[in-house]
Structure formats: C-alpha cells, structure tokens
Amino acid sequence: MCTADVRDPWLPDRLLRTERDALMPLLRRTPEASFDLRTACPGWTARQVLAHCAAALVRIVEGRLEEGVFLPEANAADVAERESWPLARILDELERGFTEAGPVIAETADGTLDAVALGEWVHAGDVREAFGEPGAYCGASLELALPLLSVTSRRRETPALVAVLRDHPDPVSLGNAIAGRPPAHYEGDAPTLIRLYSGRPLVRTRYTLTGATEQELLIYR
C-alpha cells in the first residue's frame, strides 16, 4: 500500500519541476485568446489561475508570507495586481516560481507549504481542462502528486480512506484514523480521486465512495 507517513521534504520540488517541464511548453505555444477561457475555479479564467499560481510561488521564493497570505482576499489582490501585465510576464514569473520555490519549501521544517505545491499541480490540471487538453489531474506528475496528496490529507485532518485505483498498481492510504470508525473506501481512477480531494467538478466521472462524504475529504476549503 502506498503511504506517506514520513514527509519527504524534496517531494514538492520534484513535483513542481516535473510539472514545469510538462506545462510550460504547452502554455508558451497556446494562443493568447485561450487564456480567457473559464476554469473550474469559480470566477477565474486560465490567465487568472496562472497569475495566482505565479504569485503564490514567487511569494514563497521571496519570503513574502505575511499572515493571511493565501486566503481568498489576498489571492484576489495578487491576481488583480497582474491584470495589466503582458501574458509573457505572467508565464515568466510562473516558470521562475516552479523552478525556485521547491528548495524553499523543502527548508520549511513543519511542511506547511507542501500543500501549496500540490495546489499548483491541481491548478495546472484546471488550466489543461479549460484548454481541452488531455491529462488534467494526471500525467507524468501523478506519481509525485499521490504521495503528496497523502501527506496533505493527513495534515488537513481528513478521515482515513483507502483508495483502490484502476490506473495505479497499489492502494493509496489517505487521511487519519478516527477511533471507532473504519477507514472509508474509494474505487475509481486517480484523476477522480484528485478531483474529490481538491473539490473539482465530478461531472462524467465514475467512482464508488463508502464510509465518508465528499465534503469530508476536501483539503482546500
């Protein structure tokens, strides 16, 4: 069974760099008009999602992590600040963040920033889905995202769950044991598991979930 009881401090860095190498060529060749497409994030276009991602990562790089920095109001302010930027500047900032944020996250001993790296990967899936690209919430980075999801699900205090994935050889253990409550059980594919935990739309997905509700599994609220 795939578990992640011990934090790997360099896992976020590997995830960010792998996603950078997969995502940035797609973004650089996509026509600018496509960045105005709406995403699964309410109210945000692909451009705005990427502006948020770039701002979050560069804040980590530059150590600008004041209280409330990743709350919705602060995220909206970061996006608004970048509304007048050329798209190329946003993409350059995003690539810098993908490249430089990982070592800073690794040095954060309590692992509080690990979930940001996972969130960046999920947002990359949001953009792929908006563009109509295959591989949203999966692809080459999935093998890095799953153990990071396991760690994050424990930190965010979701209930214990065993996921049996059709597209992954080993069950994945997530969340925390609750006295008197057996682990929940999920059967389905890995991208749908990511959608469940990140609160993304589940339209056209097929899965079974017993012993927990979708709301209990959310790691981003």
Side-chain angles (χ1 to χ4, degrees), residues 24 27 50 53-54 90-98 120:
M24 294 310 304
L27 299 180
L50 295 169
C53 289
I90 293 174
L91 298 185
D92 287 346
E93 184 181 51
L94 178 64
E95 187 162 7
R96 178 195 173 196
F98 274 136
E120 296 282 319

Side-chain angles (χ1 to χ4, degrees), residues 44 47-60 64-66 68-85 90 93:
W44 276 4
R47 176 193 170 97
Q48 290 168 321
V49 167
L50 295 169
H52 160 61
C53 289
L57 289 174
V58 169
R59 279 186 173 278
I60 291 172
R64 294 184 290 112
L65 299 174
E66 61 271 15
V69 66
F70 295 132
L71 293 178
E73 296 81 5
N75 292 337
D78 282 340
V79 171
E81 179 185 347
R82 287 157 176 77
E83 284 294 333
S84 63
W85 288 18
I90 293 174
E93 184 181 51

Side-chain angles (χ1 to χ4, degrees), residues 197-220:
Y197 275 85
S198 61
R200 267 44 184 184
L202 294 163
V203 178
R204 297 191 303 275
T205 62
R206 291 185 180 182
Y207 65 95
T208 60
L209 175 66
T210 57
T213 67
E214 284 85 353
Q215 188 67 26
E216 288 181 295
L217 303 182
L218 293 176
I219 57 174
Y220 302 117

